[in-house]
Amino acid sequence: MNPHLRPKCLITLINRDSSTIYSGMFPGLVSGLYQFDEVAIDLRKLADRAGVSFILGEINSLDLYEKKLVLNNRPSIAFSLLSLDVGSETNLDKCNSEIRNNNLVMPIKPFLKAYEWIKQFDDESLMRSYESFTVIGSGLAAFEISFALRNRWPSRKLRLQAFPKKLNKRLKKSLDLANIHLINPKEVLSGPAIICTGSKAPHWLQRSGLKVNNFGRVQTSSAFVTSFGPNVLAAGDCAALCNNHPPPSGVWAVKAARPLAKNIEASLRGSLMMPWQPQKLALKLVGAQSTLTAARAFLIWGPFLIGPHSCFWQLKKTIDISFIRKFQKTSIMKDQAYNKLACRGCAAKVAYQTLTAALKESELSELSDNPVDAALIDSSQEGLSWLQSVDGFPALISDPWLNARLTTLHSCSDLWARGASVSSAQAVITLPAADGSLQKEILTQCLLGIQSVLGPQGAKLIGGHTFESRSGLDENIAMGIELSLSMNGLLPKNRKLWGKCGLQPGDDILISRAIGSGVVFAAAMQGSLPSRYVDSALLELSQSQDCLVDSLQEKTSNSSGIHACTDITGFGLLGHLGEMIQVTNKRNSAQNLPLIKINLFASSIPSFQGAMSLLKSGYESSLSPANSHYLALLNPNNQLPACINLVPDASSSDVGDLNVVKKLLIDPQTCGPLVISCQSDLAEELMYESNYWYRIGFVTSLI
């Protein structure tokens, strides 16, 4: 919470989800007492506030001798110091392992997956097929989840499959009062069941080479040091201190945080690491709230169990809410000046007015008067055409590999917009000033990110240049990366060269994906957006669009169905449509052809989750004010009518909603969509055959 105190190195948090559910409030989430955002710790926001890089990824294995974490579906990551706090998973015995193969049975961990599974049974029609819902387990977690489900489903038949001797008489009485039936562990199950049978460490830790106990938990010294030495530490439910004390519990995991942090810093400094002596007992408050009984909880202290009582429930509720609120106050800046913070990605583009003025003074106005996405370099007698483009930007996110992937996809789109395939690229990478080993790891991740895009297209990285930044960086080191790429493309003779010019009356305008990434990342920088919205945007933006180009070229190999194409980047949808209209009308005027305009459907423009509500609330990218220059395309003046007609939804006349759409139109895009102008029959075919294309307007003559 005090980033100015953090060690001056690259610190990276890796987690399989961008939010983690606080275990103490999970039963309350299941019961319906809390909403997801009220019990989740947003790790992206927390990492941003702390100046820590965040990588969304799941660990597959650990290579201690190479000092690498092996992740699913992405390159390994090297480390110099590793702190493992990867939680636990449900401990399935042989019997449970067999019934687990049934889709009607789910382990309680991971919580997020279990919660999504539970929600599907809210459907009454689904539950009619089953006699009851069962919770399996004899511990406090099974007891608490049983009560949470009773609160969620007041009238359903609920059962707890447990060993009766392991349950206190008071617990049994509470189950009876809540109409939760206790059944024998040997009874054959039919219907949905959730398994709460204790925990064990993630299975990959057992293969890591670290010393583990019978539950797969990494054994450590009292200073959290593993058998591998002071460069690998472990804490929380995945670890076991010497003498196996304390037992796995969220209470002790929280208590371990401060001494663990101090020992991590000591390890980085090479100083003595201090042992931790945890308290022997911890207070436990176990909820027993139910719609059939008053909201109550048990208090447990060592062997003593007291309750249930409503005052214990209020105490638990107060403690839980107080704890989670510490993590939810993650606004990085509190003053209004933060709204002017310069955005990254393609939103770091120089404003159109500045660019055109500089080109004019340099006698290069032709570049702005006749813009092309990628320049045609040469054509051979065999009909091959070579094209080239260049693009890049400062780091958009703190994950070097994913950032390089996004930058490369963004750079490829200029060639795709011309119908070309990518053949090769050269990169210019500026690295933050850091020690050589850290620079090597950052550069490796960047190069692997570039190759993850080029390789599947059959393209190669053929060279480039690297620099070390001379600018100071107070924030996360990984945000100091800058990457630019010179992209080389090839257009075989059987493919048509597309361009911005060529809009024809009667054409439909199609777009290949949502827009609104500019405002999503602007809000994320301010800590004002739940990470699931960022995750959703990144998932779509990280997908390559080369397959769309190949498909379009195959469909139109014997026709001229596609008349114009461009990609949407920093100047937003409105700016790039304006360029298409500009070059088309310039050609039409020279050939005495009718001038054209575009009718754009306000309600048909797809946007990223959360983008419209953010725009409505006043959030915007730092480039949007400069892009407002393009709003003139919507407004007729004394000399010219509007080139773009924004058609409102017939069922809505809300001027405010239309103004929000206008803000979306000038939002700068990173890894933006392709936009094509094509014959209406081809448009219908494309929308029918895939989920990629959206019809957002049509072309008519300008009258």
Side-chain angles (χ1 to χ4, degrees):
M1 294 299 188
N2 297 287
H4 62 284
L5 298 178
R6 73 178 185 270
K8 301 300 180 184
C9 60
L10 177 61
I11 304 175
T12 303
L13 172 64
I14 302 173
N15 203 64
R16 65 182 165 209
D17 298 303
S18 61
S19 293
T20 186
I21 296 174
Y22 169 42
S23 60
M25 297 175 79
F26 180 65
L29 175 65
V30 171
S31 73
L33 177 66
Y34 303 116
Q35 299 299 310
F36 178 83
D37 288 342
E38 294 177 298
V39 305
I41 299 170
D42 193 315
L43 299 179
R44 281 192 189 276
K45 287 185 183 180
L46 193 64
D48 284 345
R49 179 174 178 179
V52 168
S53 293
F54 177 75
I55 290 178
L56 187 68
E58 186 161 12
I59 302 170
N60 179 272
S61 61
L62 172 61
D63 188 333
L64 289 172
Y65 296 97
E66 292 291 330
K67 288 191 174 182
K68 286 186 176 182
L69 282 170
V70 181
L71 305 184
N72 289 338
N73 303 316
R74 59 172 293 155
S76 301
I77 295 176
F79 63 86
S80 55
L81 186 148
L82 177 66
S83 178
L84 295 165
D85 189 5
V86 293
S88 59
E89 56 191 38
T90 303
N91 185 23
L92 303 177
D93 58 26
K94 291 182 180 180
C95 177
N96 286 336
S97 295
E98 292 175 5
I99 64 173
R100 174 67 183 92
N101 295 325
N102 185 341
N103 291 330
L104 291 176
V105 180
M106 175 65 65
I108 192 67
K109 291 187 176 183
F111 287 145
L112 185 57
K113 187 176 181 181
Y115 177 60
E116 292 299 325
W117 181 81
I118 287 171
K119 285 197 298 183
Q120 69 178 319
F121 294 103
D122 290 342
D123 185 349
E124 291 289 347
S125 61
L126 183 62
M127 280 302 296
R128 287 196 197 104
S129 306
Y130 311 112
E131 181 184 352
S132 62
F133 190 103
T134 306
V135 179
I136 304 172
S138 303
L140 294 175
F143 175 83
E144 200 165 14
I145 288 297
S146 297
F147 272 92
L149 290 171
R150 169 53 71 219
N151 201 66
R152 187 181 191 92
W153 303 320
S155 59
R156 287 193 188 159
K157 185 175 180 181
L158 291 178
R159 305 187 304 176
L160 174 63
Q161 187 180 59
F163 292 98
K165 292 182 180 180
K166 291 188 177 183
L167 291 179
N168 181 283
K169 290 182 179 180
R170 291 183 180 181
L171 298 181
K172 291 180 184 179
K173 183 177 179 181
S174 294
L175 291 170
D176 288 339
L177 289 173
N179 197 20
I180 299 170
H181 303 286
L182 190 62
I183 64 172
N184 192 289
K186 294 182 179 180
E187 186 169 332
V188 178
L189 294 178
S190 61
I194 192 156
I195 307 174
C196 308
T197 50
S199 67
K200 63 178 181 180
H203 62 279
W204 56 267
L205 280 174
Q206 299 177 43
R207 308 191 307 265
S208 66
L210 295 171
K211 187 177 180 181
V212 299
N213 66 10
N214 293 336
F215 291 94
R217 306 186 203 280
V218 179
Q219 294 190 301
T220 73
S221 71
S222 58
F224 309 105
V225 175
T226 68
S227 58
F228 193 74
N231 287 333
V232 179
L233 293 83
D237 284 2
C238 72
L241 285 174
C242 51
N243 301 322
N244 288 321
H245 182 80
S249 166
V251 175
W252 281 290
V254 170
K255 295 288 186 182
R258 190 176 296 274
L260 172 65
K262 290 182 177 180
N263 279 348
I264 289 173
E265 292 185 29
S267 179
L268 289 169
R269 291 193 303 267
S271 56
L272 183 65
M273 299 169 73
M274 302 302 294
W276 176 51
Q277 185 61 48
Q279 63 194 63
K280 291 186 177 181
L281 298 177
L283 178 70
K284 295 180 182 179
L285 294 166
V286 180
Q289 88 278 16
S290 165
T291 56
L292 303 180
T293 61
R296 300 178 299 176
F298 288 94
L299 185 149
I300 301 174
W301 179 258
F304 303 104
L305 185 147
I306 308 171
H309 201 282
S310 58
C311 67
F312 296 153
W313 171 253
Q314 289 301 322
L315 177 61
K316 172 178 170 55
K317 194 174 174 182
T318 300
I319 292 173
D320 286 341
I321 292 174
S322 175
F323 178 76
I324 199 71
R325 279 180 178 169
K326 294 177 183 179
F327 294 93
Q328 291 173 339
K329 295 177 181 178
T330 54
S331 296
I332 301 171
M333 302 271 297
K334 294 181 179 178
D335 55 73
Q336 294 298 317
Y338 188 80
N339 291 330
K340 302 300 181 184
L341 187 66
C343 291
R344 292 173 167 270
C346 204
K349 216 170 190 176
V350 170
Y352 172 80
Q353 299 91 321
T354 304
L355 175 62
T356 53
L359 289 172
K360 183 177 180 180
E361 287 198 25
S362 305
E363 299 182 356
L364 293 170
S365 295
E366 176 67 17
L367 296 178
S368 59
D369 293 341
N370 295 285
V372 292
D373 290 309
L376 181 63
I377 302 300
D378 197 10
S379 296
S380 68
Q381 292 181 346
E382 293 79 17
L384 296 174
S385 297
W386 285 272
L387 297 97
Q388 189 178 76
S389 69
V390 64
D391 218 325
F393 41 72
L396 177 65
I397 55 174
S398 61
D399 178 345
W401 177 84
L402 183 55
N403 184 76
R405 178 174 174 82
L406 293 173
T407 310
T408 310
L409 288 168
H410 183 90
S411 301
C412 288
S413 67
D414 282 332
L415 291 171
W416 296 335
R418 303 227 60 188
S421 57
V422 180
S423 59
S424 62
Q426 294 197 71
V428 177
I429 305 175
T430 301
L431 299 172
D435 67 76
S437 61
L438 179 54
Q439 283 187 334
K440 178 186 77 69
E441 177 61 18
I442 292 175
L443 181 57
T444 299
Q445 292 294 319
C446 288
L447 294 173
L448 290 171
I450 295 170
Q451 289 176 274
S452 75
V453 175
L454 298 180
Q457 296 182 73
K460 291 183 178 180
L461 183 65
I462 58 173
H465 204 78
T466 54
F467 293 96
E468 181 181 83
S469 175
R470 290 294 178 259
S471 300
L473 188 70
D474 295 328
E475 54 184 322
N476 186 333
I477 290 175
M479 298 301 285
I481 302 168
E482 296 187 14
L483 172 60
S484 297
L485 293 121
S486 175
M487 310 297 299
N488 305 306
L490 182 66
L491 190 76
K493 64 179 181 179
N494 61 329
R495 285 194 169 195
K496 292 180 172 58
L497 182 66
W498 303 333
K500 297 176 189 285
C501 180
L503 301 173
Q504 295 184 17
D507 276 2
D508 279 340
I509 302 295
L510 302 187
I511 193 169
S512 65
R513 64 169 45 148
I515 59 174
S517 62
V519 70
V520 166
F521 288 108
M525 288 175 67
Q526 298 182 45
S528 302
L529 187 70
S531 286
R532 63 179 179 273
Y533 296 122
V534 181
D535 294 345
S536 176
L538 286 173
L539 181 63
E540 186 162 354
L541 297 180
S542 62
Q543 304 303 309
S544 180
Q545 298 188 90
D546 65 307
C547 58
L548 298 183
V549 178
D550 292 338
S551 175
L552 289 173
Q553 286 285 14
E554 290 174 7
K555 278 188 176 300
T556 59
S557 59
N558 297 317
S559 66
S560 56
I562 296 177
H563 300 139
C565 180
T566 191
D567 64 326
I568 309 303
T569 56
F571 296 148
L573 178 59
L574 201 58
H576 290 280
L577 289 179
E579 287 181 339
M580 297 176 82
I581 293 170
Q582 172 193 338
V583 293
T584 299
N585 281 342
K586 184 176 181 181
R587 181 205 64 180
N588 288 3
S589 180
Q591 298 179 4
N592 292 319
L593 295 172
L595 302 183
I596 57 91
K597 70 174 182 178
I598 291 176
N599 291 285
L600 209 56
F601 305 130
S603 61
S604 298
I605 300 167
S607 62
F608 286 114
Q609 190 178 11
M612 295 298 283
S613 59
L614 288 169
L615 292 166
K616 195 170 186 177
S617 299
Y619 291 95
E620 64 177 9
S621 167
S622 57
L623 186 57
S624 290
N627 282 353
S628 62
H629 159 83
Y630 296 111
L631 292 173
L633 294 167
L634 303 174
N635 303 315
N637 56 39
N638 293 331
Q639 286 77 37
L640 290 172
C643 295
I644 298 178
N645 180 33
L646 188 59
V647 182
D649 186 351
S651 63
S652 174
S653 58
D654 192 328
V655 176
D657 288 346
L658 203 59
N659 287 333
V660 174
V661 173
K662 290 178 181 179
K663 292 180 180 180
L664 178 67
L665 295 178
I666 59 173
D667 188 64
Q669 303 306 297
T670 300
C671 296
L674 297 174
V675 169
I676 61 174
S677 176
C678 65
Q679 295 173 352
S680 58
D681 56 346
L682 176 60
E684 292 292 337
E685 185 179 350
L686 291 173
M687 290 187 292
Y688 177 77
E689 291 182 356
S690 77
N691 296 321
Y692 293 109
W693 295 103
Y694 305 85
R695 182 173 181 262
I696 60 171
F698 61 97
V699 182
T700 62
S701 296
L702 183 62
I703 300 175

